Amino acid sequence: MSAAQSASPSPALPPALPPAGAIEVAAQVVRQGRSESTQECVAQEVAVSLELEGTPHVVMLATPADLEDFALGFCLTEGLIDEPAELERCEIRLREKGIVLALYRSPGGAARSAERGEVPRRNLTGRTGCGLCGTDDLDRVIRLPEQALPSTPIRADALERAMKELGSRQPLGQATGATHAAAFCALDGQIRLVREDVGRHNALDKLIGALLRSDVDPAAGFVAVTSRASVEMVQKTALAGVSILAAVSAPTQLAIQCARDANLLLAGFVREDRATIYAGASRVQVGD
């Protein structure tokens, strides 16, 4: 008997599981006049209620992954805490119709937030694509750091490298085609952290939460996002202490204004071998 004949057949590999935040559903594919049954991997989208010390604050539609990162990033960028340590506890509670993130802050942090008027409950559900939904006070719409961000320089090819690499660092997006990603990158363009979500603001909040929980200095890199650069994206990046934001799509006029006010370098249309710099252009190094 030959070695080939005596060799045991290779065991069948188990089917690959969907990435976190995805689920398989039954569907029909119609192609060239024929229809066939299939299983499709789709992104999960659930109602996530954030409660502060037992009081409902806002309900967001989000992907149910990296929820502790989401809670920390959201609290910081929404002014509900000033320092990561002020969020003492996050309890994830599963409910029939969604998920509750029960958040408990330190007494000092809760008191300072209340003094600034940052705690009132929002009036609307935060939709998937929404950033400022439910904010009922114009004074809270535009929030930037009290001190200008550092004028960190960067090479143009670092922006391009990060965006190119980000395309292969999105397991949920590759599986479903329905999510955004936000990445924190070193100044040479190497990606350090990535978070994904059906909402671009949620992805960025998750990234900021992960960044705060790590030992990485936010001033030592930049944020790259697979979305447009709306004003909320600029605000969240600046409030996290990151001085450079690169987006695959366009910014808005208000985002550009806020980036300039905060000394944030804002790059849009970062694709392949191009980028458009809307704020901080003097900090971008090109050529050899």
Side-chain angles (χ1 to χ4, degrees):
M1 182 179 295
S2 67
Q5 291 174 322
S6 62
S8 299
S10 299
L13 295 176
L17 295 175
I23 190 171
E24 287 193 344
V25 300
Q28 289 290 123
V29 173
V30 179
R31 181 186 297 117
Q32 297 179 343
R34 299 180 62 182
S35 177
E36 58 185 26
S37 299
T38 184
Q39 290 291 115
E40 290 290 306
C41 191
V42 299
Q44 291 180 286
E45 184 176 29
V46 304
V48 179
S49 174
L50 288 89
E51 296 183 354
L52 299 172
E53 289 80 43
T55 300
H57 178 67
V58 68
V59 178
M60 304 294 290
L61 292 174
T63 301
D66 303 306
L67 291 177
E68 291 185 344
D69 290 338
F70 178 47
L72 181 56
F74 181 90
C75 284
L76 182 84
T77 61
E78 293 294 318
L80 303 177
I81 58 174
D82 292 329
E83 301 290 340
E86 290 180 356
L87 183 59
E88 294 187 333
R89 194 164 83 254
C90 171
E91 297 178 2
I92 300 174
R93 302 171 181 172
L94 302 182
R95 297 289 186 265
E96 181 179 354
K97 295 184 178 181
I99 298 172
V100 172
L101 298 184
L103 310 178
Y104 298 91
R105 297 166 295 173
S106 65
R112 282 190 295 275
S113 180
E115 289 172 1
R116 293 195 304 266
E118 297 286 357
V119 190
R121 177 178 178 176
R122 285 192 175 190
N123 295 326
L124 299 174
T125 298
R127 275 76 170 181
T128 301
C130 178
L132 297 173
C133 294
T135 302
D136 59 0
D137 189 336
L138 290 176
D139 291 336
R140 293 193 196 96
V141 172
I142 305 301
R143 297 178 57 253
L144 295 172
E146 294 182 1
Q147 296 183 340
L149 296 165
S151 299
T152 307
I154 191 169
R155 289 189 56 82
D157 54 12
L159 302 176
E160 298 161 10
R161 174 188 177 186
M163 202 63 74
K164 182 178 181 180
E165 184 182 340
L166 184 53
S168 63
R169 296 285 296 273
Q170 303 172 56
L172 186 56
Q174 291 175 337
T176 67
T179 56
H180 284 293
F184 182 77
C185 317
L187 292 174
D188 64 358
Q190 184 176 355
I191 292 179
R192 303 294 191 193
L193 293 166
V194 180
R195 291 294 183 269
E196 297 179 89
D197 196 276
V198 288
R200 64 187 188 278
H201 310 98
N202 299 341
L204 183 53
D205 276 332
K206 288 180 178 181
L207 175 70
I208 291 170
L211 186 60
L212 293 173
R213 291 152 63 93
S214 72
D215 295 327
V216 179
D217 179 5
F222 66 97
V223 166
V225 296
T226 62
S227 68
R228 69 181 184 271
S230 55
V231 65
E232 309 96 299
M233 305 295 278
V234 167
Q235 289 182 137
K236 289 177 182 293
T237 301
L239 289 167
V242 181
S243 63
I244 301 170
L245 172 62
V248 74
S249 192
T252 63
Q253 173 272 327
L254 187 55
I256 296 169
Q257 177 185 323
C258 287
R260 293 173 177 174
D261 290 345
N263 197 40
L264 181 138
L265 192 163
L266 177 58
F269 295 110
V270 182
R271 305 173 185 176
E272 298 178 352
D273 60 349
R274 66 159 289 181
T276 303
I277 313 303
Y278 294 90
S282 63
R283 291 154 54 186
V284 180
Q285 302 169 354
V286 296
D288 297 329

